[in-house]
Amino acid sequence: MLKIRRSLLIIAAFFAVFMLAACSGAGITEPPAGPVPPYVPPQGGQVSLLAYTGRSLHGHTLVAENDNMSLYLYAPRLSVIIRDRATGAYMRSTVDEPSAADNPLWQGLYMSGVTLDYILGVSVHFSRACLFHTAHTLSVFYREDGFSAQVYFPEIQIGYTLIVTLQEDGFTAEIPQASIFENDPNITVGAFYVFPFLGHTYLGEYEGYIFIPDGQGAIIKLQDNEGRFNIPFTENVFGSNPGIDLEVAAAVFGNFVFTIEPEMILMPVYGMVHTCRQIGFLGIIESGYENAVIEAFPNGVSTNFNWASSRFIYSHVIHQPMGMQSGFVTTRTERPNRIDLKMRYIFVTGDQATYTGLAVAYREYLTRTGAFASAQMDAFRTGIDFLGVEQREWALFRLNVEMTTFSQAEEILRTLADNGVDRVFTRFDGWTSGGSMNHLPTRSFNPARSLGGQRGLNNLKSTVEELGGELSLVVNPLDIVVDTNAFESLNAMRRATGRTIDFFGGSVRLTSPPRTMELTQRLARELGERSFHADIVRMPQFLSAFSEGGTYFCRTDTAALFAQGIAAFDYYFEAPVLTAPFAYLWRYGRALTLMPSTGSSYLFTYRHVPFLSIATSGKIPVYLEHVNFQANQQRFFLNLVETGARPMFLITAEDAELLRFTPRNEIYSSMFDLYKEMIIQYHNALTYLHSHIGTAGIVRRYVDGPIVRIQWSNGLWVYLNYGRVDAVVNGVALAPMSYAIGGSNG
Amino acid sequence: MTLRKLVVCLLISAILLGTPGIVAASSVPFQTFTRSGNMFVRTQTAYEPYITISRIGPYTMSNPQDIRLGSDGLLYIADTGNSRILVATQTGDWVKTIGEGYLHSPHGVFRTDEGLVYVADVVAQAVFVFDQDGALIDTYTRPDHPLFGRYATFMPTKVVVDRRGNLYITSRGNTNGIIQLATGTGEFLGYFGANITNVNLWTAFRQFINRDQQILVMPISVTNMAICSRGLIYTVSRGDDQALKRLNVAGHDILNLAPMWNFSDFIAVTVTEGGNIFAATHNWIVEYTAEGDLLFLMASNDDGRQRAGLFRAISGIAVSDGTIFVLDELMNIIQVLVPTEFVNEVHTAFALFNDGLYTESMEPWQNVMRMNSMFAYAGVGLGEAHFRNRNHREAQEAFRRGFNHQGYSDALWEVRSDWMRDNTAALMVSGLGLILVWKLLKFADKRVPILQPVRKASAKIKGITLFSQCTFALRNLTNPYDAAYGIKHENKGSYGSAFILLFLFYVLYVLNRYFSGFLFRSAPDGQYDLFGDAVLILVLVGLPIICCYLVSAIADGEASFKNLFVGIIHAFAPMFIIMPLVIILGNVLTLNEAFFITFFNFIAYTWTAILIFMSIKNMNDYTFGKTFKIIFISIFVTLIAALLIFIIYVLIMQVADFSVSVVREAVFRLAEN
């Protein structure tokens, strides 16, 4: 309420000033600006740091300044330049001259600081309103730390207010939802781009890269691609939105069912680094990430520019079915998504102008904003993920397949402890009656009798604690297996069109977000009362719009419900462990499990980078995806060494062969006897490494072919050789596929 | 097997997976599958994307159609759209360009060990030969030999050359086979390895009903080929069910892949030094062992996101030291896939195994098994190793895991022999003991009737009408005439007894199908469909009986429906005697004694058929000839009835579908409001 009231006050104030300005006949209020020089792309690799001419830079006028940064504005197009005062390096947000080769849509995007896409009627395509091609009125108001601009497009009768504030390390840009007004009921805001071309480059003019949050992270090299790529990186922040995207559901059953989906965006960030100019920025979507898309366009894709941006989706065009079999009409979602758009741009300069610098800046930002408030950063632990019981079809009925009973798990942990592997981080999946997949969603505390029942589970918990470890029970309050839980499927989540979200031909559905929250809170209470930790799966890595009772709810609503549910664990006992969660939930997690180790291998990416691991290093325990299923286990081990992440083994007492005819037949290797030695080796090596690392975070990473050097914040260096031949780094000999701790001298 | 069928097959596997698993995937954008028994299972990534070559030095490719690896380690690429051959290093650095000015549309390229580069040009209708410096030294055009065929085309698409210098050329539109030309002279040596026409029932039916529109059944042209170091030619023929072949000198296929593991969509093939075969469809790559066992199936369609490892249209494939070079004609790129640690371990194990070093192969096989417990080939490898080391029980278990029936059978033979050796004496003593106990009981019973309660109970059971009606079925075994008379005139059979016997038959069918041992069970492992089996039995037994009754009713038959139904069910008596024996034997016999199973089954089915025949004859009081006639008419009527039922079923399902749609829509609208 306070936020709404404040926004209304701001709008009222702006409206009053706007009316005064209009009455005085001044359509645009701006400081004097010099003529815009024609855009001449510098030659390859040329460093242009010295175009600074006092209060004006490239036709932009200085509007705010602090000890570190200067903010320049070219008001007619709301174009900004941000300049690092110490180094003189700067980045621009628009292009000076449009290229005749580009169509007006692209010209509008790169010539305007802010671009608005709107939906006309029920057209499936967005139209674009910009500050270059579209008639508009603009009022700019200056503050000590930035400016505000009120924009109105008379033709489409839409207006908004942009607020830009200079920060110590960059600036923020906001468009409060309350400031957006639509006067024509047939025209609605579709999407916003805010400074999409900030830091753009032309073909290969500057060396550097675009950072995209693809899995762990990836970089797109700034080089002249000579037209090799024609597809951009365009991904929803926090995964697909099946409540809207019909094609996502179709992809599961299409011809390409066995293509692995790209990694989801776990962190609402992107970046651009000009290594030759030693400046870069990290764009953080601070608010509105639930309905944002991150786009990165290497040159050759639509234009000759390299650029990256977030795009905020306010309304969706949906295909409303007219019957069960066929026929639909296109329509808009009945109300806009809830977005109080806010972008934060953090700039890095000097030797910090790398993706590592961006990751460190993100880590500091996350720490500052409390994202690791629930994290329990303890000494190194090895992760053991037990699978209890599963079911398979048999002649007359379903048969239990007990893979690991509670007592077998105890025995395994004691065996490990006898070999020095203690303080184990233990997950237990498939602990409920019916197995891990057959009786979803998890609704209550109901340990499988065939595994040892409640007493067996209590004994296991005691053993784990006695050995210094901790035990989390895996719960999945989201998925519904319809066959075994038909009653629950009545609460299935519905799309914006009112249809249920079905997977695998309707055999799997999802509980509606309010019901998911209810189940989560119930589980939090039941587990908390018994002092059991939980590891929540699926729900932390899923976010979708939905409808209930004919009312549309956007992903912001779902995120709020999920967060509310997950927060209950901390209320009743302690913060839960979260499996591969989206960043907005990190603040509720004690540890993060099964996090991705690489990315999606887009052709246009230059290489994957461990951005996520760097951003979380030293702040929250991160367990990477299971060691079992890595085809390159030596390389994966080196990844663990490099990033400081922790290993997770999926372990069963029985042979995985028994799972062949169960829903978990994707587990093709898990028997403890096969992994015992490996667990011990990993544990010993990584415990030693982490005794040096402590709670430090990664601050530098250098890659030279197969050689990688990592520096931690406590000064420790770690050298790794991913190559096939011996190498010497700083006098330290490295055998192929090995690593060494290099002391504090890099 | 087409890729569509495969996708359906894999989709079923995916449905079995249930909810989306939480086992996180690696960065590779495709799943890798391996064969495990008669199904595909997921496995670790075998090959992962390494680099993508989109330019060869300063050159971009246009619609490239072929890629070959020369013995000089360089890649030879038919850059078809640019009418040239590009020669590049394995990292995409340009080395030289060949054929500019001569070539029009080079579709195939081949480099000999001597450094000659052969190029098949479709538009020029010639095969050009260039020396190492790119100078044209020879051209082969359409042979004028009369045996070549007056109307046969010579539009070369691919070319390979054997060690003697003979050329093997595939020609677009030429269905006679691979054109074989002598080196130097270009003399036509004949056609080689032609595909044969495949007229299946469906084609025959179409030909039958479309007499006006002739349906030509032409053999399929060879699409692509490769030659191995031993000089054997490997071909793929797109559209042929037996697409991948390894041809001997006579042009016969000696690979003989089972259709399930052979994909009619194959368009490219290559062979490694070790003999492993890599074949590709437009989007998938399959690796076979030298023996033709499907090892890995991987890659997938580009979903529009341009990710490394996904393809839009593969046109060529080459392999060097385990690294795969895949040419994509639509993306105009070469994607390089490199082997993972897992596949290196698999190849090491296979190399030792194929050299007969079974014991030495144990360690790598165990490593493979540790990484993937469902990797069937590891089961076979370990089974062989254990078998050689006389660990028969372990071998049996390993072969079972590897779905290797012959190995399992051999191991079972040894295990059984060991068991027999260890337990024969005990068995004999137990048998003698049982006989002795029985004799003593009988002897004692004569003095004191201790077995009297048993006799009473037996008599009581025999006194139950239904029981006696059921056991009356055994009369069929000795005297079918008496059995028919008894059912027809003495009420010695009833609907009740018939249904009990039918249920008993169903139980035996189920036991035989699912529980007759690994070697002899007919149902795939882990799959149970008791309801489907019940419907099958009911339809296969019930429908013919009804049809037979209808036919005999209008053909002067005397039997009532009850007589016919009960009589025919009672005729299943041999099954009740023999099938239990078959089920038991199935669990203890090896493949060497499979004859016994076949023999007993033959007896059971033949005997039952004869008894059914006799039952129909006796119940209706027909002659032999008339009985034959009635049975044939009944079979025909059954087929017609099945067709009708199917049509009615389809119609009903459509009505039901529509009704469900209406109801669901109504519910949905109500829920929305």
Side-chain angles (χ1 to χ4, degrees):
Chain A
M1 283 303 289
L2 273 174
K3 195 180 274 186
I4 294 170
R5 198 175 297 166
R6 197 172 56 193
S7 302
L8 286 172
L9 281 172
I10 291 170
I11 290 167
F14 286 162
F15 186 71
V17 177
F18 176 72
M19 290 305 291
L20 282 171
C23 291
S24 65
I28 298 175
T29 309
E30 59 177 38
V36 180
Y39 181 74
V40 181
Q43 296 305 305
Q46 184 179 338
V47 178
S48 58
L49 298 174
L50 305 172
Y52 179 54
T53 55
R55 295 182 56 82
S56 175
L57 183 59
H58 285 295
H60 294 58
T61 305
L62 182 69
V63 293
E65 199 164 42
N66 58 28
D67 290 345
N68 303 322
M69 315 297 291
S70 304
L71 178 69
Y72 296 78
L73 171 70
Y74 177 59
R77 290 191 275 122
L78 291 181
S79 168
V80 298
I81 293 177
I82 188 87
R83 181 175 174 276
D84 177 58
R85 294 186 68 183
T87 64
Y90 62 88
M91 279 186 160
R92 311 178 55 175
S93 70
T94 59
V95 175
D96 285 337
E97 283 292 317
S99 164
D102 297 328
N103 67 35
L105 283 179
W106 291 112
Q107 289 176 350
L109 190 71
Y110 61 62
M111 296 299 291
S112 285
V114 179
T115 304
L116 158 68
D117 290 344
Y118 59 92
I119 303 174
L120 194 59
V122 291
S123 166
V124 292
H125 299 294
F126 286 6
S127 303
R128 181 160 291 171
C130 64
L131 304 176
F132 185 67
H133 284 306
T134 316
H136 63 277
T137 60
L138 172 68
S139 300
V140 180
F141 309 98
Y142 298 95
R143 300 191 317 274
E144 205 170 278
D145 59 350
F147 66 91
S148 306
Q150 193 172 42
V151 181
Y152 181 66
F153 298 99
E155 198 176 316
I156 56 173
Q157 299 183 47
I158 292 178
Y160 63 86
T161 300
L162 170 74
I163 304 166
V164 174
T165 308
L166 188 67
Q167 307 287 342
E168 287 301 312
D169 53 2
F171 69 99
T172 59
E174 296 170 70
I175 300 180
Q177 188 146 36
S179 79
I180 301 170
F181 52 95
E182 302 162 341
N183 291 338
D184 185 338
N186 280 325
I187 303 175
T188 189
V189 174
F192 266 108
Y193 282 102
V194 180
F195 302 124
F197 269 62
L198 183 65
H200 68 275
T201 64
Y202 184 81
L203 295 176
E205 65 174 328
Y206 296 137
E207 289 175 4
Y209 41 78
I210 302 170
F211 162 72
I212 54 173
D214 169 38
Q216 270 278 348
I219 54 176
I220 302 170
K221 205 169 181 180
L222 301 180
Q223 59 183 5
D224 186 350
N225 297 318
E226 299 175 350
R228 277 178 292 173
F229 308 123
N230 50 28
I231 303 287
F233 173 79
T234 307
E235 290 292 329
N236 280 331
V237 172
F238 302 155
S240 62
N241 187 0
I244 296 291
D245 306 330
L246 286 175
E247 66 272 19
V248 172
V252 177
F253 297 103
N255 287 331
F256 317 123
V257 284
F258 296 103
T259 302
I260 297 172
E261 283 295 303
E263 295 287 352
M264 288 183 282
I265 293 181
L266 302 182
M267 306 163 287
V269 295
Y270 63 93
M272 176 75 81
V273 176
H274 301 173
T275 49
C276 62
R277 307 170 70 207
Q278 293 199 313
I279 186 168
F281 78 84
L282 179 72
I284 302 172
I285 306 174
E286 204 162 270
S287 176
Y289 43 71
E290 300 92 342
N291 299 289
V293 173
I294 289 178
E295 299 181 346
F297 280 62
N299 64 75
V301 183
S302 303
T303 72
N304 282 333
F305 294 101
N306 304 290
W307 59 279
S309 173
S310 53
R311 182 170 185 246
F312 295 85
I313 310 292
Y314 282 73
S315 290
H316 301 278
V317 175
I318 55 174
H319 301 290
Q320 178 64 58
M322 300 296 288
M324 293 306 292
Q325 300 289 341
S326 59
F328 60 84
V329 291
T330 54
T331 183
R332 298 194 303 245
T333 42
E334 60 175 280
R335 56 181 181 175
N337 295 330
R338 291 199 293 123
I339 303 174
D340 264 328
L341 185 160
K342 185 173 184 186
M343 284 295 306
R344 178 178 293 273
Y345 302 94
I346 298 176
F347 283 77
V348 290
T349 54
D351 65 352
Q352 281 300 302
T354 62
Y355 59 82
T356 310
L358 299 184
V360 171
Y362 188 47
R363 185 170 68 215
E364 287 165 0
Y365 167 80
L366 290 171
T367 309
R368 206 165 54 233
T369 54
F372 303 124
S374 306
Q376 297 201 350
M377 193 63 201
D378 46 13
F380 174 80
R381 294 175 190 270
T382 292
I384 301 288
D385 185 2
F386 286 114
L387 176 67
V389 64
E390 196 40 89
Q391 287 192 329
R392 58 171 289 193
E393 296 290 337
W394 194 67
L396 297 174
F397 41 80
R398 288 182 185 213
L399 209 61
N400 272 348
V401 180
E402 283 89 15
M403 298 302 295
T404 317
T405 63
F406 299 134
S407 58
Q408 283 174 321
E410 277 185 75
E411 198 179 319
I412 287 170
L413 292 173
R414 287 197 186 281
T415 306
L416 287 174
D418 291 343
N419 288 278
V421 183
D422 53 3
R423 305 187 70 256
V424 170
F425 178 88
T426 312
R427 289 170 98 232
F428 206 109
D429 194 4
W431 56 278
T432 56
S433 296
S436 66
M437 286 288 184
N438 276 311
H439 289 258
L440 294 176
T442 318
R443 287 190 295 192
S444 58
F445 181 80
N446 183 21
R449 278 188 196 171
S450 59
L451 298 183
Q454 192 161 339
R455 179 181 292 179
L457 189 56
N458 284 331
N459 291 343
L460 173 62
K461 180 168 174 280
S462 305
T463 303
V464 170
E465 286 167 358
E466 177 195 325
L467 298 173
E470 67 172 60
L471 171 68
S472 301
L473 302 179
V474 173
V475 294
N476 179 353
L478 183 67
D479 290 310
I480 307 171
V481 177
V482 177
D483 276 356
T484 53
N485 224 337
F487 182 73
E488 195 62 65
S489 73
L490 295 174
N491 294 310
M493 189 186 297
R494 290 177 180 273
R495 298 178 191 280
T497 59
R499 298 290 192 259
T500 51
I501 299 174
D502 294 345
F503 297 104
F504 303 108
S507 60
V508 177
R509 290 182 179 161
L510 307 166
T511 51
S512 69
R515 172 69 176 156
T516 307
M517 185 198 72
E518 190 187 315
L519 285 178
T520 314
Q521 287 182 335
R522 188 200 295 180
L523 285 167
R525 191 180 63 247
E526 292 204 18
L527 293 179
E529 282 170 356
R530 295 169 174 84
S531 303
F532 275 102
H533 289 119
D535 186 329
I536 307 171
V537 299
R538 288 278 292 142
M539 182 182 165
Q541 54 174 188
F542 177 84
L543 197 56
S544 174
F546 68 102
S547 69
E548 198 152 284
T551 306
Y552 168 75
F553 296 92
C554 69
R555 301 216 306 179
T556 314
D557 302 306
T558 307
L561 288 166
F562 282 6
Q564 202 178 333
I566 290 173
F569 283 91
D570 197 25
Y571 175 79
Y572 286 109
F573 182 45
E574 282 188 11
V577 175
L578 302 176
T579 293
F582 297 140
Y584 81 98
L585 290 173
W586 288 1
R587 66 179 61 244
Y588 304 108
R590 56 195 284 111
L592 313 179
T593 56
L594 303 184
M595 298 296 272
S597 62
T598 54
S600 308
S601 301
Y602 293 101
L603 285 179
F604 46 72
T605 53
Y606 176 57
R607 65 166 179 249
H608 300 130
V609 294
F611 182 94
L612 191 153
S613 290
I614 297 171
T616 52
S617 59
K619 295 296 178 185
I620 189 168
V622 171
Y623 295 83
L624 294 189
E625 53 205 11
H626 293 123
V627 176
N628 310 44
F629 309 107
Q630 302 301 322
N632 293 299
Q633 293 189 337
Q634 286 184 48
R635 194 173 71 192
F636 187 75
F637 175 74
L638 291 185
N639 277 344
L640 294 169
V641 171
E642 181 189 333
T643 60
R646 304 175 180 196
M648 177 71 80
F649 294 86
L650 178 52
I651 291 299
T652 56
E654 306 296 335
D655 195 333
E657 163 75 11
L658 296 178
L659 292 168
R660 183 187 290 272
F661 302 112
T662 71
R664 298 300 301 272
N665 63 0
E666 86 277 12
I667 299 171
Y668 43 72
S669 176
S670 60
M671 193 162 79
F672 174 65
D673 292 348
L674 300 175
Y675 284 95
K676 182 180 155 190
E677 292 305 320
M678 189 185 239
I679 294 170
I680 295 166
Q681 283 172 14
Y682 270 52
H683 182 84
N684 290 340
L686 293 174
T687 301
Y688 179 73
L689 174 73
H690 281 260
S691 68
H692 287 76
I693 293 173
T695 55
I698 296 171
V699 290
R700 280 183 179 77
R701 178 177 189 261
Y702 299 106
V703 179
D704 181 13
I707 304 298
V708 176
R709 290 182 297 143
I710 300 287
Q711 188 187 20
W712 294 80
S713 56
N714 61 3
L716 179 78
W717 282 87
V718 177
Y719 309 130
L720 302 103
N721 179 6
Y722 284 95
R724 295 177 182 176
V725 293
D726 292 336
V728 177
V729 183
N730 283 2
V732 179
L734 288 172
M737 300 301 286
S738 70
Y739 72 100
I741 297 171
S744 57
N745 181 7
Chain B
M1 185 180 184
T2 62
L3 198 58
R4 189 179 296 274
K5 285 180 191 168
L6 173 70
V7 167
V8 171
C9 170
L10 294 180
L11 184 59
I12 292 165
S13 306
I15 290 167
L16 280 174
L17 292 179
T19 53
I22 56 162
V23 176
S26 69
S27 66
V28 179
F30 54 79
Q31 305 276 20
T32 301
F33 295 89
T34 185
R35 179 187 166 185
S36 188
N38 283 324
M39 62 189 287
F40 286 102
V41 293
R42 267 175 62 177
T43 186
Q44 271 96 344
T45 301
Y47 296 86
E48 60 184 359
Y50 177 55
I51 55 170
T52 301
I53 301 171
S54 54
R55 299 178 72 87
I56 306 295
Y59 304 109
T60 53
M61 293 175 283
S62 170
N63 188 30
Q65 290 295 319
D66 199 10
I67 183 169
R68 303 275 177 177
L69 188 79
S71 54
D72 52 359
L74 298 175
L75 296 172
Y76 290 76
I77 303 142
D79 186 7
T80 309
N82 293 316
S83 306
R84 65 191 174 197
I85 301 299
L86 291 172
V87 184
T89 64
Q90 295 185 12
T91 51
D93 295 326
W94 175 78
V95 176
K96 61 187 169 188
T97 303
I98 293 174
E100 278 182 314
Y102 297 105
L103 302 175
H104 293 83
S105 183
H107 270 61
V109 62
F110 186 84
R111 182 193 183 275
T112 64
D113 291 348
E114 293 74 33
L116 299 180
V117 178
Y118 290 71
V119 183
D121 194 315
V122 174
V123 174
Q125 300 193 5
V127 171
F128 297 97
V129 187
F130 300 91
D131 67 12
Q132 293 189 44
D133 301 323
L136 179 69
I137 58 170
D138 212 346
T139 304
Y140 296 92
T141 55
R142 188 180 191 281
D144 53 6
H145 196 284
L147 289 179
F148 183 75
R150 191 174 169 188
Y151 302 107
T153 61
F154 188 78
M155 300 172 72
T157 52
K158 305 291 171 197
V159 58
V160 296
V161 182
D162 67 16
R163 285 192 175 163
R164 289 170 298 170
N166 292 330
L167 282 73
Y168 299 83
I169 303 162
T170 59
S171 169
R172 180 177 292 171
N174 192 331
T175 57
N176 296 324
I178 299 167
I179 300 160
Q180 199 177 356
L181 301 183
T183 184
T185 62
E187 183 193 352
F188 176 63
L189 300 176
Y191 286 109
F192 178 78
N195 292 314
I196 54 169
T197 54
N198 191 6
V199 182
N200 54 28
L201 274 177
W202 173 239
T203 311
F205 179 69
R206 285 168 63 212
Q207 283 178 320
F208 176 73
I209 61 170
N210 286 297
R211 287 182 185 281
D212 294 339
Q213 300 169 312
Q214 289 210 344
I215 294 172
L216 288 174
V217 181
M218 300 285 288
I220 291 164
S221 309
V222 172
T223 309
N224 208 333
M225 60 184 167
I227 189 166
C228 72
S229 53
R230 290 190 295 156
L232 295 172
I233 305 280
Y234 292 73
T235 62
V236 288
S237 307
R238 194 168 190 211
D240 192 348
D241 285 341
Q242 203 63 26
L244 174 62
K245 290 176 180 163
R246 173 162 57 201
L247 304 176
N248 62 11
V249 287
H252 295 139
D253 180 20
I254 53 172
L255 198 58
N256 289 321
L257 284 180
M260 177 153 186
W261 315 115
N262 204 341
F263 304 105
S264 59
D265 313 43
F266 278 144
I267 56 158
V269 62
T270 191
V271 190
T272 66
E273 277 296 310
N276 278 18
I277 308 159
F278 288 80
T281 70
H282 267 320
N283 313 101
W284 296 68
I285 300 167
V286 184
E287 181 183 359
Y288 297 93
T289 64
E291 282 69 41
D293 292 316
L294 191 150
L295 202 51
F296 298 112
L297 186 151
M298 60 202 145
S300 189
N301 305 48
D302 173 37
D303 55 2
R305 288 176 162 127
Q306 289 200 343
R307 293 163 68 198
L310 304 182
F311 303 95
R312 289 175 66 189
I314 295 173
S315 56
I317 183 170
V319 178
S320 168
D321 287 335
T323 301
I324 310 175
F325 301 88
V326 190
L327 188 66
D328 192 314
E329 63 176 293
L330 289 183
M331 297 169 88
N332 296 317
I333 57 173
I334 300 167
Q335 293 207 42
V336 184
L337 308 178
V338 292
T340 60
E341 292 167 19
F342 172 69
V343 84
N344 284 333
E345 200 73 46
V346 171
H347 285 166
T348 304
F350 257 113
L352 293 167
F353 183 79
N354 290 337
D355 288 343
L357 303 170
Y358 299 117
T359 307
E360 290 79 356
S361 72
M362 266 189 90
E363 189 183 337
W365 279 134
Q366 279 165 343
N367 287 339
V368 172
M369 193 62 100
R370 180 182 59 75
M371 295 172 86
N372 187 343
S373 301
M374 295 185 202
F375 197 75
Y377 297 106
V380 178
L382 285 173
E384 287 290 354
H386 284 307
F387 195 78
R388 300 293 160 130
N389 293 333
R390 301 200 60 75
N391 300 322
H392 297 129
R393 279 203 181 279
E394 289 83 353
Q396 186 186 359
E397 171 57 29
F399 281 127
R400 173 78 175 78
R401 184 173 286 212
F403 293 94
N404 186 297
H405 286 78
Q406 189 57 55
Y408 180 89
S409 172
D410 293 344
L412 176 62
W413 173 282
E414 297 291 347
V415 170
R416 200 182 56 186
S417 297
D418 294 346
W419 189 88
M420 292 289 283
R421 190 182 59 233
D422 295 342
N423 297 288
T424 305
L427 272 180
M428 289 180 72
V429 169
S430 304
L432 286 173
L434 282 174
I435 292 168
L436 191 63
V437 169
W438 178 241
K439 293 282 182 194
L440 283 173
L441 272 176
K442 282 183 81 173
F443 177 74
D445 187 47
K446 282 180 185 168
R447 296 174 179 272
V448 183
I450 54 174
L451 293 177
Q452 187 61 24
V454 178
R455 277 193 292 273
K456 272 188 181 171
S458 173
K460 200 172 179 182
I461 291 170
K462 281 177 185 170
I464 299 170
T465 312
L466 204 55
F467 181 80
S468 61
Q469 285 174 336
C470 288
T471 52
F472 185 72
L474 299 176
R475 181 68 62 87
N476 259 311
L477 300 176
T478 52
N479 194 333
Y481 289 98
D482 276 1
Y485 186 85
I487 291 168
K488 197 172 173 184
H489 301 292
E490 297 173 349
N491 202 25
K492 290 192 172 174
S494 65
Y495 278 122
S497 66
F499 276 113
I500 288 172
L501 291 175
L502 188 61
F503 180 72
L504 183 62
F505 176 69
Y506 167 70
V507 170
L508 288 172
Y509 174 83
V510 166
L511 289 175
N512 189 39
R513 186 165 155 72
Y514 300 108
F515 300 100
S516 57
F518 171 65
L519 295 175
F520 298 104
R521 62 176 282 170
S522 56
D525 258 5
Q527 293 181 20
Y528 297 91
D529 184 13
L530 300 195
F531 178 73
D533 292 334
V535 171
L536 185 75
I537 296 283
L538 275 178
V539 170
L540 284 184
V541 175
L543 191 60
I545 292 176
I546 293 169
C547 292
C548 184
Y549 167 70
L550 294 175
V551 171
S552 58
I554 57 170
D556 303 328
E558 292 180 0
S560 65
F561 179 74
K562 180 187 170 189
N563 291 340
L564 209 55
F565 179 72
V566 176
I568 289 177
I569 299 294
H570 276 228
F572 280 70
M575 292 285 184
F576 305 135
I577 302 298
I578 298 174
M579 275 180 80
L581 185 64
V582 169
I583 293 164
I584 292 166
L585 287 178
N587 283 285
V588 294
L589 293 187
T590 67
L591 291 179
N592 297 335
E593 302 109 10
F595 165 76
F596 290 106
I597 303 280
T598 313
F599 176 72
F600 284 126
N601 275 330
F602 176 77
I603 297 284
Y605 284 104
T606 310
W607 196 353
T608 303
I610 291 170
L611 291 183
I612 289 173
F613 179 89
M614 295 300 293
S615 179
I616 293 170
K617 177 185 172 298
N618 294 336
M619 292 291 179
N620 288 300
D621 199 18
Y622 285 151
T623 62
F624 273 94
K626 190 163 185 178
T627 309
F628 272 117
K629 189 178 163 188
I630 292 298
I631 287 175
F632 281 122
I633 294 172
S634 299
I635 291 170
F636 181 73
V637 171
T638 304
L639 291 175
I640 298 294
L643 190 65
L644 275 174
I645 289 170
F646 177 72
I647 291 168
I648 292 167
Y649 169 78
V650 169
L651 289 173
I652 289 173
M653 287 310 292
Q654 284 195 348
V655 171
D657 218 29
F658 173 73
S659 309
V660 169
S661 287
V662 169
V663 172
R664 277 190 185 172
E665 193 60 31
V667 170
F668 166 68
R669 297 291 172 198
L670 285 173
E672 283 294 283
N673 297 320

